[in-house]
């Protein structure tokens, strides 16, 4: 997947697209993959990098949603559990099983969660990841040695899925490109094109790197921009009524020593009424998330002090060694694009179901949902879009479509396992050029070869693209990412043919970004 080739593909079909998708997150890329694999002529544009927003900032779980059972949303849970199984089948190099333990400190918690999780198992059916069961106090501490032992009565163990969100997104984009789609990052939709009846029939898009504007025509246009959906809708109709209720979720990352053992924790009691997770991820401990209603959205949301304190307080309730601000390696926020409901409803209570809404001007909008269900969201959206566009009816094929990099034994590649079968080519690159096997920063496993790979085959255009989404350095350890940044800038400048001074500008921009990933901005 090369950006110059993708731009050429976009230009060559400029007046003849079946579907134009705006937004390069999980929903948009899933729509492009679904549409292209049905044989529809498909284009996708993204204003920044793929997954810049919500789709790289999840809790890294492919799950049915245990807490949605409490809300009585059995239909959503059943759909998510099915999709969880499909994702594991189609991308085994990126989706894996993970044991979760709900520790019990109050007498009624074990039977309460035990019954709920047995229902969770039942709803999963043939897509189950493992059977839940009650654990004794001793078994619970054996699986989670870091748990606070005072008052611990036991626990309940169940199984869900874990993944690397940004890596899966890149592999989905590559799969869509292999199916014939044109996908271009750093390409912003700046205006809509209308037909003689005033209906949206395309968009003017601007290449953010060169300023070139391209007018694209399509039989239907899909707005899949997540929390930015209303801003895109206002391009077509400034008076449109908002449909998004944005909610912020924050995650803190700590050293793996805070979560020894092979299981994650589901903490059922938090001050804001949510469950909270502490999960092992890429050799670190990831803790989150919060649910804070927002009035405005941004491309780079920042954790609020009260959110950080809530997570630290909750972690202290469950962990023998309570983490402090000084222990935070990275802190970051993501925005959920929840669909508005009744006035005054809290964002925590809003449904995670997806919604497909067609504006009077013909713009198709898809919002809500979650990573786990993005394949089904895309199937529903493309069904509707094909009908609206008058396209030939063609069945969805993504239930059994293997994602780029598909490999059942990728764990043999160590930290390169997230590349799946591409890890073989990266290893060969290092064999031919041993200097590319040098690590970028000592605390993290990432290698110089990964920067070269990201630039050549994954459309990385900046230091941020490499250290946030092609690798996960900034989300794992902000200081280590800063250490890696100068060498990344040098490699990218050479690979992309950038002029003198570009690497220094990139480095300064990345330093400003990294400041936001540590509380107080101390880097």
């Amino acid at each position: 997947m090369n950006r110059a080739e993708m731009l050429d593909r976009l230009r060559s079909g400029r007046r003849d697209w079946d579907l134009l998708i705006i937004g390069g997150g999980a929903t948009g890329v899933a729509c492009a993959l679904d549409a292209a694999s049905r044989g529809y002529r498909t284009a996708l544009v993204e204003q920044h990098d793929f997954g810049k927003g919500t789709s790289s900032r999840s809790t890294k779980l492919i799950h049915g949603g245990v807490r949605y059972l409490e809300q009585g949303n059995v239909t959503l849970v059943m759909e998510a559990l099915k999709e969880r199984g499909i994702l594991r089948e189609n991308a085994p190099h990126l989706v894996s099983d993970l044991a979760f333990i709900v520790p019990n400190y109050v007498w009624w918690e074990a039977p309460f969660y035990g019954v709920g999780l047995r229902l969770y198992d039942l709803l999963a059916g043939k897509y189950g990841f493992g059977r839940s069961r009650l654990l004794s106090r001793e078994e619970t501490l054996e699986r989670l040695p870091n748990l606070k032992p005072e008052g611990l009565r036991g626990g309940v163990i169940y199984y869900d899925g874990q993944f690397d969100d940004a890596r899966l997104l890149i592999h989905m984009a590559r799969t869509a490109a292999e199916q014939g789609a044109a996908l271009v990052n750093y390409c912003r939709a700046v205006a809509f094109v209308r037909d003689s009846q005033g209906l949206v029939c395309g968009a003017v898009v601007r290449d953010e790197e060169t300023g070139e504007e391209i007018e694209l025509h399509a039989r239907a246009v899909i707005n899949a921009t997540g929390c930015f959906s209303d801003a895109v809708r206002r391009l077509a109709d400034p008076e449109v009524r908002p449909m998004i209720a944005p909610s912020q979720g924050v995650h803190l990352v700590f050293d793996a020593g805070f979560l020894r053992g092979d299981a994650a924790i589901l903490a059922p009691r938090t001050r804001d009424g949510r469950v909270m997770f502490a999960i092992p991820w890429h050799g670190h401990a990831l803790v989150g998330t919060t649910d804070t209603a927002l009035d405005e959205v941004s491309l780079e949301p920042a954790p609020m002090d009260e959110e950080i304190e809530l997570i630290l307080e909750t972690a202290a309730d469950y962990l023998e060694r309570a983490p402090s601000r000084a222990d935070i390696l990275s802190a970051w926020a993501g925005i959920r694009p929840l669909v508005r409901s009744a006035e005054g409803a809290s964002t925590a209570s809003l449904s995670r179901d997806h919604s497909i809404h067609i504006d009077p001007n013909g713009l198709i909008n898809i919002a809500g949902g979650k990573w786990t269900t993005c394949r089904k969201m895309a199937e529903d959206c493309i069904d509707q879009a094909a009908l609206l566009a008058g396209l030939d009816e063609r069945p969805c094929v993504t239930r059994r479509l293997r994602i780029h990099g598909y490999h059942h034994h990728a764990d043999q590649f160590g930290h390169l396992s997230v590349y799946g079968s591409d890890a073989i080519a990266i290893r060969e690159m290092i064999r031919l050029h041993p200097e590319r096997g040098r690590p970028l920063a000592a605390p993290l496993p990432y290698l110089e070869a990964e920067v070269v790979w990201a630039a050549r085959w994954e459309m990385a255009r900046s230091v941020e693209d490499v250290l946030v989404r092609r690798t996960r350095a900034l989300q794992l350890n902000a200081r280590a990412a800063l250490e890696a940044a100068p060498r990344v800038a040098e490699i990218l400048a050479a690979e992309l043919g950038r002029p003198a001074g570009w690497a220094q500008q990139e480095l300064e921009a990345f330093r400003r970004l990294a400041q936001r990933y540590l509380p107080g901005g101390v880097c």
Side-chain angles (χ1 to χ4, degrees), residues 215-227:
E215 186 172 304
L216 304 175
H217 290 246
R219 295 172 72 172
V221 180
I222 297 170
N223 173 17
T225 55
C227 57

Side-chain angles (χ1 to χ4, degrees), residues 368-440:
K370 56 180 187 168
W371 244 116
T372 306
T373 56
C374 70
R375 190 211 64 82
K376 183 62 168 64
M377 292 168 64
E379 179 180 353
D380 292 347
C381 185
I382 301 307
D383 284 346
Q384 292 288 322
L387 184 64
L388 184 70
L391 301 174
D392 293 340
E393 187 176 330
R394 297 171 184 169
C396 172
V397 299
T398 55
R399 288 181 188 86
R400 292 181 175 83
L401 182 61
R402 292 180 173 181
I403 300 301
H404 179 93
Y406 179 96
H407 199 297
H408 259 299
H409 302 289
D411 53 0
Q412 68 181 291
F413 303 126
H415 87 277
L416 296 177
S417 65
V418 294
Y419 294 89
S421 58
D422 284 344
I424 299 166
I426 296 172
R427 282 185 166 185
E428 179 64 8
M429 182 194 298
I430 294 170
R431 188 186 71 80
L432 296 174
H433 305 279
E435 71 280 4
R436 290 179 179 160
R438 290 190 295 245
L440 293 170

Side-chain angles (χ1 to χ4, degrees), residues 19 21 23 25-45 172-173 175-177 179-183 222 224 378 382 398:
L19 299 172
I21 299 160
T27 304
V29 171
C31 284
L33 175 54
D34 185 294
S37 61
R38 295 193 202 197
Y40 298 139
R41 295 183 297 276
T42 305
L44 179 147
V45 294
M172 286 168 53
T175 313
Q179 295 293 323
L183 304 94
I222 297 170
I382 301 307
T398 55

Side-chain angles (χ1 to χ4, degrees), residues 58-95:
S58 75
T59 313
K60 322 306 180 190
L61 300 179
I62 294 294
H63 63 137
V66 171
R67 75 185 191 91
Y68 306 140
L69 285 178
E70 287 187 63
Q71 300 173 353
N73 199 337
V74 174
T75 302
L76 174 61
V77 173
M78 289 182 69
E79 179 180 278
L81 287 169
K82 178 181 177 182
E83 291 300 318
R84 182 189 70 172
I86 291 173
L87 255 177
R88 183 178 61 171
E89 284 296 310
N90 289 337
H93 58 301
L94 285 164
V95 180

Side-chain angles (χ1 to χ4, degrees), residues 333-352:
I335 300 175
R336 304 176 189 89
L338 304 177
V339 178
R340 287 185 182 274
S341 181
E343 288 295 325
S346 72
T347 52
S349 68
L350 290 183
S351 172
R352 268 52 176 176

Side-chain angles (χ1 to χ4, degrees), residues 39 49 210 272 398:
D49 184 34
T210 65
D272 69 346
T398 55

